[in-house]
Amino acid sequence: MAKKKVTLTNTSIRSGVTSDASKAICEYIWNGFDAHAKHVSIVYEANEVGKVLSLKVIDDGEGISRNTLSETFGHYQDSVKTKSFQWSSQVKGHKGKGRYAFNCFASDAKWISVFKEGNNHLKHTISISAAENDRFNDHADDGSLHTVNDEQTGTEVQFLNVTLNAAFFESADFISYLQREFAVFL
């Protein structure tokens, strides 16, 4: 009997993530808190008719280490967070699929992260396209990895081609969802 390796496809990843935009955005906020962030912000810019031109979730956590990049972005439904333990709160992002949550509201996600390695702060970029969820780009070959000792650790996730409008972020439903989700931090 010949054993064959199972392959993950873009479609299988896409079908395994949430289609609820509120829950999806909360996945990125939780990732910040899982990285021990004290502050997490949702920043968006919209034009005069409410079309979102840019959307970011920014945290001041530990950043994404390149030492665990293969485990962090290279595995689906598996996470290095399953091995984590925190006294202050339960690690939320342990299912290994939250990074794909953008699929329900954007075409691409880009992580710009600063992490500490030894005495240095290193900055790098990782991206995923909804058209190719089964691949990630660590941008190592385009010079995105460099020392930035004048910057604090943390991660900024930028979303491209956002399908949500400004009214979504200002709605009582979304604000209420955030309050329920993060009441433990208030």
Side-chain angles (χ1 to χ4, degrees), residues 30-51:
W30 275 116
N31 283 344
F33 288 129
D34 287 348
H36 305 108
K38 294 197 182 339
H39 304 95
V40 180
S41 302
I42 300 170
V43 179
Y44 69 93
E45 179 185 343
N47 65 15
E48 58 280 344
V49 294
K51 177 177 174 30

Side-chain angles (χ1 to χ4, degrees), residues 90-104:
Q90 177 184 1
V91 172
K92 182 81 169 179
H94 61 280
K95 294 182 181 176
K97 58 185 183 178
R99 64 191 160 274
Y100 300 103
F102 74 90
N103 277 258
C104 73

Side-chain angles (χ1 to χ4, degrees), residues 58-75:
I58 303 168
D59 72 61
D60 61 357
E62 297 172 345
I64 302 167
S65 172
R66 291 197 55 83
N67 296 329
T68 60
L69 199 57
S70 293
E71 293 83 18
T72 307
F73 281 83
H75 296 159

Side-chain angles (χ1 to χ4, degrees), residues 9 29 81 89 92 143 159:
T9 66
I29 296 169
K81 294 178 188 175
S89 68
K92 182 81 169 179
F159 304 99

Side-chain angles (χ1 to χ4, degrees), residues 4-5 7 11 19 21 25 37 66 70 73-74 77 87 90 95 99-100 118 147 152-153 169 181 184:
K4 305 267 182 175
K5 186 162 178 66
T7 308
T11 303
S19 60
I25 290 168
R66 291 197 55 83
S70 293
F73 281 83
Q77 290 199 321
W87 284 102
Q90 177 184 1
K95 294 182 181 176
R99 64 191 160 274
Y100 300 103
T147 303
Q152 297 300 312
T153 61
F169 294 101
E181 188 74 8
V184 69

Side-chain angles (χ1 to χ4, degrees), residues 121-134:
H121 285 186
L122 301 176
K123 186 175 194 173
H124 65 117
T125 302
I126 307 127
S127 63
I128 299 176
S129 171
E132 292 185 305
N133 281 305
D134 55 340

